[in-house]
Amino acid sequence: QPIWESVKGEDGDVDFALSYHRAFYQSGYDNYHDIFMQRWRTEDHMWNVVCIDRVTGENRSVSWTSFDETGEMCTYPNEYKVILGLGYPKPIVSRFINPNDSSNNAWRASSVRSVKAQDWIYSYRDGTCGIRKLDDDMDTSDPKLESFTPEDRSNCSNVADNPLHDTPPDQLYGVLRVVQSRRAKHVAVSLLTPDLVGTTGVLQSFEGGVEDAAGAPLEMAAVMLDTGAFGLRAGARLGSTFA
């Protein structure tokens, strides 16, 4: 089964916002005017406030902490203030994901080999609501933006062209066969009765065997009797040689 893949940017790194948008559709990523209020307040531009002399026309930039004893940034009435940007420490950035941006079209889905993928912009325009002016034909200074509600295009366009899908394991068809097999040797050490003619049931088993230098098997009991090797003991628990 094909495995779902995250959307990548031009640099090959995962674009998490675009991955979510193209998998589920998020109206917040599809709203060009999401920061209209910040644009009105010029917070989408880096801090840039200047004081201009009314007589000479000279101007000076002021920082966001520059205030005189009256609490003003500019010297009144000799200067007037011009605000070019109020973004600090950095400007407010829109979360709108532009389908016309080439970087948002760099990645195509490839998990389903039989499906020919296309650029996201064409998927975006697959539905009638996807063929539109991205700013909804409204200027950024339009006062109607205060009551503007963006359209939900999740069901009328193919914006989410990389939806999540199940990836169940492959089904196996064919006759079962043994790919590899092995044989194991086991050694069992049991505790004898005091008269040495029976066993008490106390037994411990080990997987393994002993071979000589030529690879021929040796009797474990003979080795243990002759050399006392391995230190094998019956232990203290009842056991059985049956699996």
Side-chain angles (χ1 to χ4, degrees), residues 6 10 22 39 43 58 67 75-76 80 83 88 92 100 108 110 120 126 175-176 183 189 194 203 215 217 226 230 242:
S6 299
E10 290 180 316
R22 291 177 65 173
R39 290 188 178 116
E43 292 174 352
E58 294 182 358
F67 297 97
T75 304
Y76 182 81
Y80 65 92
I83 298 176
Y88 185 86
I92 303 297
N100 291 325
R108 293 183 180 184
S110 60
W120 181 49
D126 276 350
V175 178
L176 295 179
R183 295 179 180 272
V189 180
L203 180 143
D226 293 343
F230 308 114
F242 293 96

Side-chain angles (χ1 to χ4, degrees), residues 206-220:
F206 308 88
E207 180 179 352
V210 180
E211 297 177 349
D212 59 17
L218 296 176
E219 289 292 335
M220 179 69 76

Side-chain angles (χ1 to χ4, degrees), residues 89-159:
K90 57 183 179 180
I92 303 297
V93 179
S94 171
R95 298 178 69 186
F96 171 68
I97 300 178
N98 190 345
N100 291 325
D101 191 334
S102 61
S103 63
N104 294 329
N105 290 275
W107 180 88
R108 293 183 180 184
S110 60
S111 59
V112 183
R113 301 293 182 182
S114 60
V115 177
K116 183 178 180 181
Q118 60 182 355
D119 289 348
W120 181 49
I121 179 60
Y122 300 120
S123 297
Y124 191 98
R125 294 172 178 170
D126 276 350
T128 55
C129 67
I131 304 174
R132 68 181 183 101
K133 291 185 177 181
L134 297 180
D135 61 358
D136 292 291
D137 207 18
M138 299 178 71
D139 188 76
T140 56
S141 59
D142 193 326
K144 295 180 182 179
L145 287 174
E146 286 191 280
S147 57
F148 171 71
T149 301
E151 181 181 359
D152 188 325
R153 298 178 178 82
S154 57
N155 295 321
C156 64
S157 178
N158 194 24
V159 177

